[in-house]
Amino acid sequence: MLLVLDTCEDVVDVVSKLVGFLLTRCPQLTIIATSREVLSAPSAIARSVDALADGLALFEARVSATLESR
């Protein structure tokens, strides 16, 4: 299962807690969150992207990896 959360910088603390909660209860869940601030959720991996095209490429790669792992 894949959950996409977009533009989280205004609610980064709440989203960090939500992501942590969901990941402890749904181990098969993959979450992609976009934010100008780093989430402090457990097992979060931060990736910086310079442009929208780079972000889109990263998103496509993560979706493909998630689908292939099924």
Side-chain angles (χ1 to χ4, degrees):
M1 196 178 333
L2 175 67
L3 174 63
V4 179
L5 303 171
D6 188 29
T7 318
C8 300
E9 57 270 358
D10 292 331
V11 288
V12 71
D13 293 333
V14 174
V15 171
S16 292
K17 290 176 185 173
L18 174 64
V19 167
F21 174 82
L22 291 173
L23 291 176
T24 59
R25 283 156 181 80
C26 306
Q28 300 297 334
L29 179 63
T30 299
I31 300 173
I32 296 175
T34 65
S35 177
R36 294 178 183 186
E37 303 292 327
V38 177
L39 298 180
S40 61
S43 72
I45 299 171
R47 310 251 179 174
S48 294
V49 293
D50 293 326
L52 181 59
D54 292 338
L56 181 57
L58 178 61
F59 176 77
E60 289 173 342
R62 294 304 305 144
V63 170
S64 293
T66 298
L67 294 175
E68 289 173 5
S69 68
R70 290 184 170 182

